[in-house]
Amino acid sequence: MTTFRDGLFAAFFDHQDGLKRFLRRRLGNAALAEDLTQETWLRAAAANAAPIENPKSYLFRVAANLANDHLRRARHGIELQGQESVVPFYADPRPSPEQQAAGRSELQRLLRAVDGLSPRAREVFILAKVHELSHAEIALRLGIAKNTVMVHMANALEYLHMHFQRDAD
């Protein structure tokens, strides 16, 4: 004796390729059509319906409803499906919470290291790296020679390099 579910599975097995083609034409996405074909079986098999006169029509109706639901969600911006080459353009560009925490930690390390510089080297370093001033602009602002700015900058970079080298060991 075949059960309702066995008959439905036989119909699904017989019409699976047709369901995929139907969904692919409706949605324009083969991978999504494959997923929704499987979802069609899951929904149909989970239903506790009375025996169905036309299992093929029932399966196509379930598939059509799933496609309509997907299109409705996509139209309201709830779901985004796209080719893998396009998705990075829509992905959230913000760093993950883990990346944010690591970035804050690195920034704290840098700030502690900059605090260890001599006052003039720190001032030169901040004007160059934070405010993006040229050596000539820094020299003019601080009233010192450009060569002196270069010496302070070289000393600052060497100190920071040694500081981070020491932390890495």
Side-chain angles (χ1 to χ4, degrees):
M1 179 174 102
T2 62
T3 66
F4 157 73
R5 190 177 167 129
D6 293 337
L8 192 58
F9 182 71
F12 176 79
F13 187 77
D14 289 344
H15 301 290
Q16 185 175 5
D17 291 336
L19 285 165
K20 282 182 206 172
R21 283 191 302 277
F22 168 74
L23 289 167
R24 190 176 325 115
R25 280 192 309 271
R26 194 119 192 229
L27 300 168
N29 183 323
L32 181 58
E34 179 77 33
D35 289 347
L36 289 185
T37 300
Q38 296 305 314
E39 182 69 21
T40 298
W41 166 247
L42 294 173
R43 291 273 176 98
N48 291 326
I52 298 166
E53 285 184 40
N54 188 339
K56 176 184 175 185
S57 293
Y58 176 72
L59 291 169
F60 274 86
R61 181 75 266 158
V62 170
N65 288 341
L66 287 169
N68 289 338
D69 289 347
H70 170 79
L71 292 171
R72 191 175 311 110
R73 285 190 307 268
R75 191 171 38 250
H76 293 294
I78 297 170
E79 189 172 304
L80 175 66
Q81 291 286 335
Q83 296 174 327
E84 287 185 30
S85 62
V86 177
V87 171
F89 295 111
Y90 296 99
D92 189 352
R94 293 177 295 185
S96 69
E98 294 84 9
Q99 291 169 321
Q100 289 177 11
R104 279 192 298 273
S105 176
E106 283 299 307
L107 178 59
Q108 290 303 315
R109 283 182 62 212
L110 176 61
L111 292 175
R112 282 192 304 273
V114 169
D115 280 343
L117 294 171
S118 69
R120 183 60 86 172
R122 183 179 329 120
E123 190 174 19
V124 168
F125 179 81
I126 290 171
L127 289 172
K129 298 300 182 182
V130 176
H131 298 286
E132 298 180 337
L133 298 180
S134 68
H135 290 167
E137 291 169 321
I138 295 169
L140 187 62
R141 181 176 284 189
L142 298 179
I144 58 177
K146 184 178 170 187
N147 284 343
T148 305
V149 169
M150 291 170 36
V151 168
H152 284 302
M153 193 64 187
N155 289 339
L157 292 174
E158 182 180 349
Y159 173 84
L160 294 172
H161 175 74
M162 297 301 284
H163 179 82
F164 286 109
Q165 191 76 19
R166 189 175 57 245
D167 281 358
D169 293 338

